């Protein structure tokens, strides 16, 4: 880039807006009813301020940008093709076209270089807001904290903010990261969402084992002590068991054994069975994008009038089951691309960045944060159809794109700018 052009007013305005957008994305998503809107407006405005640089950046970003764009476009194309072939309404396709934000934000972050520290500060602010909202809602009589929408989506986004708080931290920010994790756990517990716990355990394990603190043996000891302490706390405090819905899970298992699937866990198991049958019956097309309930209609209990609530939930509560049942093998490949391509890019860019730095160090930085974010998002997808919701789809696309752009910038030497 031309150093003289970097001092122009429009360039400085664009970079200022980019920094503000990096803060707004994690800070306001759960804080406001339409919390993604400020980020979207700043993204659009800063892009329009420097269109020439965006075009030039598309050429210099190279194959990582092409791969990310291909993954997003393929997922969108599969959704449309499934609907067209079966002649069904494409449904809420806007939950898929938001994936196009991923390559856009990657290019934007590559060109404008928003500071990673602003993303981290925004994540901490978002976790403070999430914990306060959860406390206010539960103390106000709500059964589960849900923010401005769905309790499961609320908890899943909180978990993504925790990833940013831990792995985007600057040197010396460990104490703030621990505080952010504590606030996030409060929000998750009050949401009563069990599906986030596998991702949370992976996050905590990576944070402790990759912290670089003292010896590896001591890190294992700290992790084991934390797990034992948390388990003891849950057992000792009845209110926590109830809030985490562990007793309800045991009751659900008993009901499943009796053949009753009209429960949270039972409905999920039933939907996995239905998804498997639908995929085997139509392995190349599925039942149609966003039409999982068509597969549910094959159950005798779902053909009655009125049908049980579990027959009209709209999706499979599992990403792989959802995409396989509704879009067949192409859907499975599209989902693998949305997870696999960014994960592979993050791991490759991390190796390149470490090669430039000439040292290992602790697990931290945009590439590490991005890899962990993809993993925990996929784990949440075991119990929820993450891409069936606009908020989780948008947050995933925006955060993955932003972290990819910053990781690409970190991995490439300044001489190549």
């Amino acid at each position: 880039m031309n150093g003289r052009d970097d001092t122009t007013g429009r360039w400085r305005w664009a970079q200022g807006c980019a920094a503000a957008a990096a803060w707004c994305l994690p800070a306001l998503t759960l804080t406001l009813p339409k919390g993604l809107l400020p980020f979207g407006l700043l993204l659009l405005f800063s892009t329009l301020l420097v269109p020439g640089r965006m075009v030039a950046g598309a050429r210099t970003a190279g194959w990582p940008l092409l791969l990310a764009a291909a993954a997003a476009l393929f997922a969108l194309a599969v959704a449309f093709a499934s609907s067209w072939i079966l002649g069904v309404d494409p449904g809420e396709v806007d939950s898929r076209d938001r994936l196009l934000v991923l390559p856009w934000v990657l290019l934007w972050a590559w060109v404008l270089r928003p500071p990673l520290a602003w993303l981290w500060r925004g994540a901490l602010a978002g976790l403070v807001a999430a914990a306060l909202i959860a406390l206010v809602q539960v103390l106000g009589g709500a059964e589960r904290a849900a923010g401005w929408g769905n309790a499961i989506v609320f908890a899943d986004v909180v978990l993504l903010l925790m990833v940013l708080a831990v792995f985007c931290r600057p040197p010396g920010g460990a104490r703030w990261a621990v505080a952010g994790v504590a606030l996030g756990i409060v929000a998750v517990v009050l949401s009563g969402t069990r599906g986030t716990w596998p991702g949370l355990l992976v996050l905590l394990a990576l944070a402790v084992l990759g912290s670089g603190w003292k010896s590896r043996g001591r890190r294992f000891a700290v992790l084991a002590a934390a797990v034992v302490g948390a388990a003891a706390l849950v057992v000792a405090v009845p209110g926590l068991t109830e809030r985490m819905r562990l007793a309800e899970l045991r009751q659900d298992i008993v009901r499943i054994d009796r053949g009753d699937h009209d429960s949270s866990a039972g409905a999920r198991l039933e939907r996995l069975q239905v998804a498997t049958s639908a995929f085997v019956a139509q392995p190349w097309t599925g039942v149609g994008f966003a039409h999982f309930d068509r597969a549910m209609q094959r159950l005798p209990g779902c053909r009655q009038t009125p049908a049980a609530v579990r027959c009209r939930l709209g999706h499979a509560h599992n990403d792989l089951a959802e995409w396989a049942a509704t879009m067949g093998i192409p859907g499975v490949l599209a989902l693998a691309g949305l997870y696999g391509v960014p994960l592979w890019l993050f791991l490759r860019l991390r190796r390149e960045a470490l090669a430039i730095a000439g040292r290992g160090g602790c697990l931290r930085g945009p590439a590490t944060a991005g890899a962990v974010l993809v993993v925990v998002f996929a784990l949440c997808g075991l119990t929820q159809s993450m891409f069936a919701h606009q908020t989780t789809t948008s947050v995933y696309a925006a955060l993955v794109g932003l972290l990819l752009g910053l990781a690409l910038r970190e991995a490439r030497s300044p001489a190549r700018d």
Side-chain angles (χ1 to χ4, degrees):
M1 292 182 180
N2 189 306
R4 179 176 58 82
D5 291 343
D6 285 352
T7 63
T8 63
R10 286 173 59 181
W11 175 251
R12 289 198 301 270
W13 267 99
Q15 285 197 307
C17 289
W23 183 88
C24 287
L25 175 57
L28 302 182
T29 297
L30 296 176
T31 306
L32 303 176
K34 293 189 178 294
L36 286 168
L37 182 59
F39 168 77
L41 294 175
L42 288 168
L43 170 67
L44 177 61
F45 182 65
S46 55
T47 299
L48 294 177
L49 279 175
V50 286
R53 290 185 181 274
M54 295 294 289
V55 173
R59 292 193 293 268
T60 59
W63 57 267
L65 176 61
L66 293 177
L67 280 178
L73 287 170
F74 181 63
L76 190 61
V78 168
F80 274 114
S82 171
S83 300
W84 178 71
I85 291 172
L86 295 172
V88 298
D89 184 348
E92 297 181 358
V93 75
D94 55 352
S95 66
R96 292 291 190 275
D97 61 17
R98 292 170 184 241
L99 293 171
L100 298 178
V101 170
L102 197 161
W104 177 11
V105 176
L106 190 164
L107 174 60
W108 170 84
W110 161 252
V111 172
L112 293 175
R113 294 167 277 184
L116 185 65
W118 281 64
L119 184 66
W120 179 71
R121 293 168 186 157
L124 292 179
L127 288 168
V128 171
L132 289 175
I133 290 171
L135 284 169
V136 169
Q137 290 184 337
V138 171
L139 293 176
E143 183 179 351
R144 299 173 63 182
W148 305 102
N150 183 299
I152 300 176
V153 170
F154 175 77
D156 291 338
V157 175
V158 167
L159 181 58
L160 300 184
L161 299 186
M162 294 166 69
V163 172
L164 300 181
V166 171
F167 296 104
C168 292
R169 70 187 188 278
R175 292 181 179 178
W176 287 103
V178 171
V181 169
L183 291 168
I185 291 175
V186 169
V188 168
V189 169
L190 294 180
S191 75
T193 302
R194 299 182 296 245
T196 56
W197 289 103
L200 179 57
L201 290 176
V202 169
L203 165 63
L204 294 177
L206 291 174
V208 173
L209 299 179
S211 64
W213 178 73
K214 297 185 178 180
S215 68
R216 183 171 297 179
R218 290 192 179 186
R219 278 177 263 166
F220 273 107
V222 169
L223 179 62
V227 171
V228 172
L233 184 65
V234 170
V235 173
V237 182
L240 276 181
T241 303
E242 180 180 352
R243 183 59 59 185
M244 294 170 65
R245 300 167 63 216
L246 297 179
E248 179 184 323
L249 178 60
R250 289 193 293 268
Q251 295 171 4
D252 289 353
I253 294 174
V254 171
R255 293 173 66 178
I256 292 172
D257 290 339
R258 296 172 179 171
D260 180 4
H261 290 86
D262 199 9
S263 63
S264 178
R268 281 173 166 80
L269 178 60
E270 182 181 60
R271 297 175 93 75
L272 286 176
Q273 295 169 344
V274 169
T276 301
S277 300
F279 177 71
V280 171
Q282 297 171 281
W284 288 104
T285 61
V287 297
F289 166 68
H291 284 76
F292 184 79
D293 284 351
R294 295 180 72 198
M296 291 295 295
Q297 296 305 313
R298 299 172 182 177
L299 295 176
C302 293
R303 289 196 292 267
Q304 298 174 355
T305 304
V309 174
R310 72 180 195 275
C311 300
R312 297 178 279 104
L313 296 178
H315 49 77
H317 273 287
N318 178 291
D319 269 329
L320 180 59
E322 171 79 16
W323 289 54
T326 59
M327 293 175 283
I329 293 174
V332 174
L333 294 176
L335 181 64
L338 286 177
Y339 285 146
V341 169
L343 181 59
W344 181 79
L345 286 173
F346 280 127
L347 295 176
R348 181 183 177 92
L349 291 172
R350 184 174 186 274
R351 287 196 299 269
E352 292 181 8
L354 291 178
I356 292 174
R359 54 183 176 81
C362 62
L363 289 176
R364 194 174 67 228
T368 300
V372 177
L373 187 141
V374 172
V375 170
V376 300
F377 194 91
L379 287 173
C380 289
L382 296 176
T383 57
Q384 172 68 304
S385 297
M386 302 293 284
F387 292 107
H389 298 276
Q390 295 181 11
T391 298
T392 42
T393 302
S394 299
V395 171
Y396 179 80
L399 286 179
V400 168
L402 177 53
L403 291 170
L404 273 175
L406 294 178
L408 185 61
R409 175 63 60 181
E410 182 183 63
R412 296 189 176 181
S413 64
R416 297 176 66 178
D417 290 353

